[in-house]
Amino acid sequence: RPEMLTVFSYQVLRLLRDKTLLVWTLGFPIVLSFIFMVQFSNLEEAYEANPMSFGIVQDEAYRATPGLDALVERISADDADPHLIARVIHSTASEAEAAAKRGDTNGYLAVENGEPVLHVTQKGDVQESLRVLRVVMDSYAQTRAEHEALIEAGTPPEHVAALQAGHDFTQPVSVTPTPVKPATRYYFALLAFASGMGMTVAMIAVQGIMATSPLGARQTMAGLPRWKVLTATLAASWVCVLACLLIAFAFIATVVGVDFGPHLLLCLVAIGVASLMSSAAGAALGTFGRLGVGMVSAITCLLSLFTGLYGPGAQSLADSVERSTPLLAQANPLWQASRCFYGLLYYDSPEPFARSCAALLGMTCLFLTIALIRARRMNHEHL
């Protein structure tokens, strides 16, 4: 054990002096997260629904429709949340249609045959607010049908009126335990990418103890068993990669301000498992002496394409692969690394997180087995 501790200490000092660790595993993720912070500073505003000019036909049919005027007031008031429309009052449908054709409004709402109907112009059809408005109107129509069914079933009208008065058609609902910002997915993919770049660190460390280099040849001829040298080297690589990822995680959480949810300690577990997997994968690649940093970086960049790191197009591609060939997506170690964080933030059950961690540990065992088998074969006499 003292010999393994000596090898471990030597490898840690060696890796800390290597620019690969500082540039690719620590510096690059921090620089990317800073770029993301600047690039996504207005991303939330792009997803917000801005009020659009919209006509309201306030005729006899409109006033006779229960709850409709209160709903329109709820979504058009200056302090409304969400503030969907800036209403323009019209007395007839023909007047509202003429205003829409002139471009004064993006459409109009009119009651036809007892039902509220949205008439939208081509310009209004691309507005983000319209999507929310359609959902609100669908909710209104569904609730109104339920109330009419209650009246037909003999429910007292005053009870139905109380239900109508207390119903909120625009009540915000969160489908996740904590609110999630649109940019959060990019930072999950970035952390997975950073763990993938950790393969370069382990690869360089393992290449240094293989007989393909003069120093590695001398270590091969030493009396210390190969598995001890490899284990100490792998442990040193993992500690260095883990430290870099923890620093990057702290930067993203504190400086960038990304909310990783209530399970912060389990996020650290995810980072530990992901860094262990990348170290084992780097150790396996390190037994192939001719592989360089550029090749491993290219592999990491390719795998990151299927985690959605490169923008909406990459996210659509990743989602498509996940739907059509889920096993292929799950075989991607960086996909599993990003899913560890997904499991903690998007689900109220620990099962998805545990499943991704188990997959990463299984990949770690596979990579370690490959590294040990090849390290035993690559002795000095063999070469």
Side-chain angles (χ1 to χ4, degrees), residues 266-284:
L266 290 181
C267 287
L268 303 183
V269 173
I271 291 175
V273 174
S275 60
L276 183 62
M277 178 279 302
S278 65
S279 299

Side-chain angles (χ1 to χ4, degrees), residues 50-65:
N50 296 316
M52 61 178 178
S53 178
F54 210 76
I56 305 296
V57 181
Q58 291 189 350
D59 53 10
E60 291 299 328
Y62 173 87
R63 285 185 283 270
T65 305

Side-chain angles (χ1 to χ4, degrees), residues 90-137:
H90 301 286
S91 57
T92 63
S94 58
E95 179 184 331
E97 183 178 1
K101 288 182 177 180
R102 290 195 306 268
D104 296 340
T105 62
N106 293 284
Y108 63 94
L109 169 68
V111 177
E112 301 174 0
N113 299 322
E115 297 292 335
V117 179
L118 295 175
H119 297 269
V120 184
T121 64
Q122 185 176 4
K123 177 184 175 183
D125 196 42
V126 298
Q127 298 288 330
E128 290 290 337
S129 300
L130 179 64
R131 301 179 184 179
V132 185
L133 180 60
R134 290 189 191 277
V135 174
V136 171
M137 297 309 299

